[in-house]
Amino acid sequence: MSEASSFVLKSWREMPPGGIIPVPKTSLLNKTGTWRALKPVINQAKCIRCLMCWVHCPEPAILRGEDDSVAVDYDYCKGCGICANVCPVHAIEMVPEG
Amino acid sequence: MKGKLVGMNGDRAVAYAAKQAKVDVISAYPITPQTIIVETLAEYVNNGELDAAFIPVESEHTALSAAVGASLAGARVFTATSSQGLALMYEILWIAAGLRAPIVMAIGNRALSPNINIHCSHDDAYAARDTGWLQFFAENVQEAYDLTLMAFRVAEDERVLLPTIVNLDGFILTHALEGLYVLEDAEVDAFLPKRKPINPIDPKNPKTYGPLDFTDWYMEHKRLQFEVYQKVGGVVREVFDEYEKLTGRHYQPVKTFNVEGADKAIVILGSSAGTARFAARKLAEKGMKLGVVSLTQYRPFPVAELRKVLESFDVVAVLDRSVSFGSPGNQLFMDVSTALYSSKKRPILVNVVYGLGGRDFTPLHVERIYAALEEVQRKGEAPEESLWVGLREG
Amino acid sequence: MRWHGRGGQGVVTSSELLALAALREGKFVYHAPEFGPERRGAPVKAYTRISREPIELHSGIYEPSAVVVIDPSLQNDPSIASGLRKGGLIVVNAKSPGDVLLRSAQEKGAEVWYVDAYSIAMEVFGRPFYNTPMLGAFVRASNVVSLESVVSVAMERFSKDSKLAQLNVLAIRRAYDEVKKYE
Amino acid sequence: MELKTIKTLKEIPREEQFAPGHRLCAGCGIPQVVRLALKAVPDPKVVVNATGCLEVATTIFPYTSWGVPWVHIAFENAAAVASGIEAAFKILSKKYGVEKPKIIVFGGDGGTFDIGFQALSGALERGHDMIYICYDNEAYMNTGIQRSGATPKGASTTTSPAGKVVPGKLERKKNLIEIAIAHGIRYAATMNPAFPVDMYNKIVKAANTPGPTVLHYFTPCPTGWYFDPSRSIEVARLAVQTRIWPLYEYDNGKIRITVPVKEPRPVEDYFKLQGRFRHLLEPENKWLLEEIKRDIEENWQKLMRMAEQSK
């Protein structure tokens, strides 16, 4: 992340030849969480840690814990609602932002 | 002359140079008159004389696409094509240059269709002139060999990092055998050590090559690429000098003959330069003085050098082996005109078209051009139209 | 020189071997095949330019000093001697030179040499390979390079097959010995 | 080293080499195959990407989502570029001991079925060691939903609009797997995001197979197919359950159905979820719907015969 930001902040005259992006994962600087109208809220009490939401998230914005518990990374979640739909125990609810 | 004297045609000489350059990857598709280059390299690889990957691709578009991929991976890459093949590569030419992939490509210059023709025109080289590739023109088989070796040095120089074309006239050089001096392998190794790539593809150091580049950064990237071309001339001269020390063979971006004290000259590319000099000698016997100026370096265009040479003439014929349809002049003519426009003293320029589709260019044509230059000089004004030499009468 | 033959007869090889032999003798050379789509059987030409000075001229040859007719059926083609310089040389593959050829030779004041390369080829190779015998004949008639230079480049050219190399050298030598000047 | 197949989602590696912050549409189906491929194929690896949704949305300079080397040259040549990279690493590894990465190619259906078809065919014929993954959203979504050779019969796109006279695309979709197999490659399979374990295992098998392999991935596209993004996986699952998108693999000469569909769901269930097919449910287009049903049945029967013959 720090590597990413240092590259993006450089003067264009120092950009490497060939128009390449010389460091990985600089898209982390682009917080797509602002796209969201509905936000997924996980009911941890209901969660069975099946990882369905984790595997199907297109961002990926579902964080997988060591114990396979899950959390939403709201910095990037676009609020598509796939996680809520694939949850077999309906532990995720989409609620309006704001 | 240093080196071992051998007899080879232009295509084989280029392939031999690529072999001595120890290229890692050859990605190429056959097309006359370049085919012998590809065949010879395939032979070298399959006989164990060259340790390289030969990718027998299914089209020129793929030939260059694979070449760019291989070059980004850090390999020394060579390919060759002609005419329609180069046209098919066109999209990727820009990308190879923009991604700064120092591929070396030989072009056996050939006319573009229609009608289909396998012989020499410079349509193909000219069509690549804006793409960002460096371009050299060989005048004979020796130059085709020498320039191929030097092309790798220039292309891979970290101040340059640009793909480079070596042009050799289709059939007139590709299929013609001449004597040439070749270096020992060890000498080439010293002149052209293993490529040291900048930012090659490396899984331990992941980078993104060829991203989307929108309104916010594209222009800056083009500016950065643009600035490189200002430095290429200096690198080319360094490489020419070093090569001269090694071989005794002198190269310069603009080659001149008989220019001292002459008021008429012709500017020309490729194998016809020799024919023009031959004719100029004949003219000199009759007391007529014609300077011959040929360009070894075509891109980047050697503006300053050419200006210095041409400013002193009254009339200059610029010879194009191609037609730029609907343009204010043909391709080399437009280059030369632009280069001279801001000069304080500039000659009257006459655009001459010659040799299309392999139409032979002979000393008689040079004499006709000389006569035309005399007339222009007398009238003091440039003709409205280009002069076509070698066109059928009637 | 200009070489006349048919596609597949090794016309280009003869021209090339001559150029290589001259190169070996320190001369400057330019050899080029006639530029056309390759076609077996059709009449083809090849050109060799040899000089003591560097050759800068890259145009075709329109006024050859010598013409070699490799294919016997082409000798009566009236265009064979076209452009031939005054006092030039014609070498033909024939038991005896034909009338058309002799007439044009006379007009140009050209020397005519002839050799039965067909018989030599059939005896040496068992097949009508005329190109190397005609090269041998031309070397004798023109003296432009030495027989030994031509033999050594032929040995090299066919070095992958020593039998073939020997047969070619034999064919070159026999034609060199057997070619006759038409008086 | 032979990579292992898995039985549950829990066995899928945690590490993400594909970062969020990309600009694919909410609910897009593409990242799921990308994430699983990067997880299933260990380092060192290199990704080659054809021009398309995935390329434009994940690498807008100076932002990249990629945690692995990623190369894009043009639209029609991803397999060609991969050929060059593969050949280069092979020789650099032989000559200088450079470690040889696995090459993964991502191309959309346009870049695979249509404009990139020749380059793919050439690469398969030459036998380059690469996993070619076609993410198929069944039209040119990146340029605004134009028909491709992968657009299914009946679908409405901007260049095959459901009009008064012509009710959408009238031609069948090309069969990519059969075309790929015809090149003599050793592994090819279809994949679908609703079946992630099946997908993961197919990527593993492809990675375990030397030479070129082709994986054909069903990519639900909420934007181009006109459905609610939250129903992406539901749409994908229905494609399998209706037998429209059979999940199978070709492995060294044998065809195997990997997700059997004993009782198929009616195709109308799949069509009614998506705006691109809704016109098929109108009475005047019944003939086309029937034709499509016959096609689906015919494809399924053919596949079953091939699977039967493989036993």
Side-chain angles (χ1 to χ4, degrees):
Chain A
M1 187 71 186
S2 58
E3 195 184 18
S5 52
S6 72
F7 164 67
V8 173
L9 294 174
K10 263 186 188 168
S11 151
W12 66 268
R13 294 199 169 271
E14 291 162 54
M15 293 195 298
I20 66 169
I21 304 171
V23 291
K25 294 187 178 177
T26 48
S27 70
L28 290 171
L29 295 170
N30 183 44
K31 304 282 174 72
T32 48
T34 55
W35 295 23
R36 196 170 57 234
L38 291 172
K39 114 187 211 185
V41 176
I42 302 175
N43 181 341
Q44 295 291 350
K46 275 187 168 178
C47 173
I48 57 168
R49 301 178 184 187
C50 69
L51 297 177
M52 286 291 274
C53 58
W54 173 75
V55 80
H56 283 122
C57 178
E59 301 317 319
I62 301 284
L63 305 166
R64 175 181 174 185
E66 280 305 309
D67 55 355
D68 285 345
S69 64
V70 289
V72 178
D73 186 342
Y74 292 111
D75 276 352
Y76 304 106
C77 170
K78 292 174 188 156
C80 70
I82 287 179
C83 53
N85 257 0
V86 298
C87 180
V89 294
H90 308 290
I92 304 177
E93 194 188 347
M94 299 303 290
V95 302
E97 279 288 340
Chain B
M1 287 286 178
K2 285 186 203 157
K4 185 175 71 167
L5 179 65
V6 295
M8 283 187 200
N9 66 33
D11 276 352
R12 282 193 188 277
V14 167
Y16 191 74
K19 171 183 166 241
Q20 288 192 305
K22 293 199 166 74
V23 294
D24 299 306
V25 175
I26 301 135
S27 163
Y29 191 74
I31 181 169
T32 306
Q34 160 281 122
T35 308
I36 302 167
I37 300 178
V38 183
E39 291 172 340
T40 306
L41 285 165
E43 253 173 59
Y44 288 145
V45 171
N46 284 7
N47 288 332
E49 293 170 67
L50 172 62
D51 195 9
F54 182 90
I55 316 178
V57 290
E58 83 293 337
S59 75
E60 285 91 353
H61 194 282
T62 287
L64 192 57
S65 299
V68 174
S71 187
L72 293 179
R76 177 169 288 162
V77 185
F78 178 81
T79 186
T81 194
S82 295
S83 178
Q84 308 302 122
L86 189 76
L88 186 56
M89 287 179 177
Y90 186 69
E91 178 197 27
I92 311 302
L93 291 174
W94 291 77
I95 298 174
L99 290 181
R100 312 288 297 279
I103 299 157
V104 171
M105 168 157 67
I107 299 181
N109 299 107
R110 161 179 158 180
L112 275 165
S113 297
N115 289 349
I116 191 163
N117 173 291
I118 54 173
H119 296 286
C120 187
S121 275
H122 293 153
D123 304 341
D124 43 15
Y126 284 151
R129 72 198 156 147
D130 299 333
T131 61
W133 284 60
L134 311 183
Q135 291 201 46
F136 295 109
F137 270 87
E139 186 189 311
N140 52 40
V141 173
Q142 179 76 64
E143 290 193 3
Y145 168 83
D146 290 342
L147 288 169
T148 303
L149 287 178
M150 288 190 277
F152 282 104
R153 265 294 293 274
V154 174
E156 293 174 6
D157 189 291
E158 67 171 67
R159 292 164 292 175
V160 177
L161 294 175
L162 287 167
T164 302
I165 287 167
V166 176
N167 289 292
L168 60 158
D169 284 348
F171 286 101
I172 304 165
L173 296 182
T174 57
H175 286 58
L177 181 137
E178 294 181 336
L180 73 153
Y181 291 88
V182 295
L183 293 167
E184 295 297 328
D185 289 353
E187 290 174 308
V188 176
D189 287 347
F191 174 73
L192 195 57
K194 175 176 176 271
R195 181 184 163 201
K196 289 195 196 80
I198 314 288
N199 292 324
I201 297 171
D202 174 10
K204 289 198 180 67
N205 201 353
K207 297 178 177 66
T208 292
Y209 305 80
L212 186 73
D213 213 0
F214 265 171
T215 46
D216 44 0
W217 293 105
Y218 182 88
M219 194 159 171
E220 282 70 26
H221 277 130
K222 291 302 117 177
R223 173 71 199 192
L224 284 175
Q225 189 183 341
F226 166 83
E227 286 175 5
V228 177
Y229 296 85
Q230 321 303 312
K231 298 180 221 152
V232 171
V235 177
V236 169
R237 229 158 298 134
E238 276 176 35
V239 172
F240 281 178
D241 287 349
E242 198 184 319
Y243 197 75
E244 183 173 0
K245 283 195 196 98
L246 181 65
T247 63
R249 290 192 288 278
H250 178 66
Y251 281 86
Q252 54 196 61
V254 178
K255 204 191 297 185
T256 57
F257 170 79
N258 209 27
V259 294
E260 294 292 320
D263 55 9
K264 295 180 236 6
I266 72 171
V267 182
I268 197 162
L269 292 170
S271 65
S272 310
T275 303
R277 279 199 299 274
F278 180 91
R281 283 198 187 89
K282 293 261 174 209
L283 285 167
E285 287 169 14
K286 298 185 222 164
M288 293 179 268
K289 193 148 193 204
L290 177 68
V292 177
V293 178
S294 55
L295 303 185
T296 300
Q297 180 189 318
Y298 171 62
R299 280 292 182 275
F301 198 72
V303 175
E305 292 91 335
L306 196 70
R307 223 184 244 174
K308 212 170 126 204
V309 171
L310 293 184
E311 274 174 350
S312 59
F313 290 96
D314 289 345
V315 281
V316 170
V318 181
L319 272 67
D320 273 295
R321 201 165 197 152
S322 181
V323 179
S324 180
F325 299 104
S327 297
N330 298 308
Q331 295 89 333
L332 185 61
F333 180 80
M334 288 195 284
D335 283 333
V336 174
S337 305
T338 309
L340 289 174
Y341 189 76
S342 56
S343 292
K344 287 214 173 57
K345 180 183 179 310
R346 47 177 197 255
I348 299 172
L349 297 182
V350 180
N351 198 177
V352 179
V353 174
Y354 77 102
L356 302 186
R359 178 62 50 84
D360 201 13
F361 180 67
T362 72
L364 284 174
H365 296 142
V366 181
E367 286 175 26
R368 250 203 85 195
I369 293 164
Y370 184 86
L373 290 180
E374 273 186 327
E375 201 190 319
V376 168
Q377 193 178 26
R378 211 167 36 243
K379 286 187 182 158
E381 62 184 50
E384 300 247 318
E385 280 187 26
S386 53
L387 168 70
W388 289 49
V389 296
L391 201 62
R392 282 172 188 270
E393 308 273 324
Chain C
M1 355 299 161
R2 186 171 67 212
W3 302 74
H4 293 262
R6 293 185 185 278
Q9 286 178 339
V11 180
V12 175
T13 307
S14 292
S15 167
E16 194 180 322
L17 289 176
L18 177 67
L20 287 168
L23 190 68
R24 188 150 297 188
E25 294 182 357
K27 299 180 176 97
F28 294 91
V29 301
Y30 179 80
H31 141 78
E34 184 187 45
F35 310 140
E38 286 125 274
R39 2 159 234 204
R40 191 164 283 267
V44 293
K45 289 176 225 161
Y47 304 91
T48 333
R49 200 175 259 139
I50 297 174
S51 168
R52 290 185 200 287
E53 301 299 319
I55 297 172
E56 291 192 304
L57 187 60
H58 278 101
S59 60
I61 294 176
Y62 302 95
E63 293 174 349
S65 314
V67 166
V68 187
V69 185
I70 287 182
D71 188 84
S73 67
L74 292 173
Q75 69 155 320
N76 287 324
D77 176 345
S79 72
I80 287 294
S82 82
L84 183 66
R85 289 185 194 173
K86 279 255 173 277
L89 171 69
I90 302 175
V91 185
V92 289
N93 174 6
K95 284 200 170 80
S96 62
D99 293 343
V100 178
L101 182 97
L102 287 173
R103 245 192 330 271
S104 42
Q106 203 174 11
E107 279 168 27
K108 310 254 175 190
E111 253 181 41
V112 175
W113 289 64
Y114 63 102
V115 64
D116 180 7
Y118 175 79
S119 299
I120 295 175
M122 292 312 285
E123 282 166 39
V124 173
F125 302 107
R127 296 182 63 186
F129 295 160
Y130 310 132
N131 63 333
T132 44
M134 287 311 292
L135 176 60
F138 174 72
V139 167
R140 171 71 196 280
S142 68
N143 263 320
V144 71
V145 293
S146 77
L147 177 64
E148 290 324 305
S149 301
V150 167
V151 165
S152 79
V153 294
M155 289 292 281
E156 242 170 64
R157 164 54 57 94
F158 303 105
S159 63
K160 279 182 194 151
D161 181 343
S162 65
K163 180 101 198 312
L164 185 66
Q166 279 162 15
L167 293 180
N168 273 294
V169 168
L170 179 63
I172 290 170
R173 287 189 190 281
R174 272 198 55 186
Y176 183 91
D177 291 339
E178 291 174 25
V179 68
K180 285 197 262 318
K181 187 173 170 186
Y182 183 82
E183 304 286 355
Chain D
M1 187 193 63
E2 183 88 355
L3 305 172
K4 288 200 170 57
T5 55
I6 59 167
K7 292 203 167 59
T8 69
L9 294 184
K10 302 219 177 234
E11 296 170 69
I12 296 174
R14 286 160 196 277
E15 196 201 346
E16 299 287 351
Q17 289 178 316
F18 181 76
H22 60 73
R23 308 179 204 202
L24 286 159
C25 301
C28 177
I30 305 171
Q32 297 158 45
V33 69
V34 173
R35 288 176 61 210
L36 286 190
L38 298 186
K39 288 167 187 289
V41 181
D43 286 338
K45 55 184 171 274
V46 173
V47 168
V48 178
N49 206 161
T51 306
C53 290
L54 177 62
E55 171 260 333
V56 302
T58 64
T59 66
I60 303 178
F61 188 89
Y63 305 106
T64 178
S65 287
W66 298 86
V68 296
W70 177 95
V71 184
H72 161 254
I73 306 289
F75 193 4
E76 68 288 65
N77 63 356
V81 173
S83 301
I85 294 175
E86 190 261 0
F89 274 108
K90 210 162 160 185
I91 191 76
L92 293 175
S93 142
K94 182 183 167 215
K95 281 165 88 166
Y96 310 116
V98 174
E99 203 179 357
K100 189 178 173 299
K102 192 80 185 175
I103 315 289
I104 305 171
V105 188
F106 291 107
D109 48 301
T112 304
F113 282 67
D114 295 347
I115 200 169
F117 188 63
Q118 174 182 315
L120 174 61
S121 178
L124 297 182
E125 184 268 332
R126 291 188 300 272
H128 296 281
D129 191 15
M130 64 171 77
I131 304 170
Y132 189 100
I133 300 176
C134 171
Y135 64 92
D136 181 2
N137 48 26
E138 303 195 320
Y140 291 87
M141 298 314 184
N142 188 37
T143 44
I145 323 166
Q146 294 80 28
R147 107 195 253 291
S148 79
T151 301
K153 190 187 277 186
S156 178
T157 70
T158 56
T159 50
S160 65
K164 288 188 182 121
V165 181
V166 183
K169 189 189 173 195
L170 297 182
E171 303 80 26
R172 286 169 85 154
K173 185 185 174 95
K174 287 187 199 175
N175 190 322
L176 180 64
I177 298 293
E178 283 184 24
I179 292 166
I181 294 171
H183 287 80
I185 65 170
R186 293 167 65 183
Y187 189 81
T190 58
M191 309 192 296
N192 182 295
F195 299 85
V197 172
D198 179 74
M199 168 155 58
Y200 186 92
N201 287 338
K202 284 169 175 169
I203 298 167
V204 162
K205 285 186 194 172
N208 282 337
T209 307
T213 55
V214 173
L215 300 174
H216 187 194
Y217 171 74
F218 180 92
T219 308
C221 175
T223 308
W225 298 0
Y226 305 98
F227 66 81
D228 185 295
S230 67
R231 304 182 80 169
S232 210
I233 301 303
E234 191 183 343
V235 168
R237 187 175 295 113
L238 273 167
V240 176
Q241 291 170 334
T242 52
R243 292 180 173 167
I244 285 173
W245 190 272
L247 284 170
Y248 65 101
E249 67 182 4
Y250 168 86
D251 190 355
N252 274 307
K254 292 192 168 168
I255 297 272
R256 188 174 73 87
I257 312 279
T258 58
V259 177
V261 185
K262 293 219 169 65
E263 299 286 330
R265 297 267 300 266
V267 292
E268 288 86 345
D269 289 2
Y270 175 70
F271 288 161
K272 72 185 177 202
L273 274 183
Q274 304 170 55
R276 63 171 174 158
F277 289 127
R278 215 155 280 151
H279 59 284
L280 295 178
L281 306 174
E282 302 296 331
E284 67 269 26
N285 293 327
K286 195 167 191 307
W287 63 274
L288 184 55
L289 183 66
E290 291 308 315
E291 200 178 295
I292 292 167
K293 285 181 179 174
R294 279 198 302 278
D295 288 352
I296 294 168
E297 180 61 17
E298 194 181 301
N299 282 345
W300 179 262
Q301 290 306 331
K302 184 178 170 193
L303 189 61
M304 293 306 283
R305 273 199 308 279
M306 292 197 294
E308 196 55 42
Q309 282 160 8
S310 295
K311 278 183 184 157

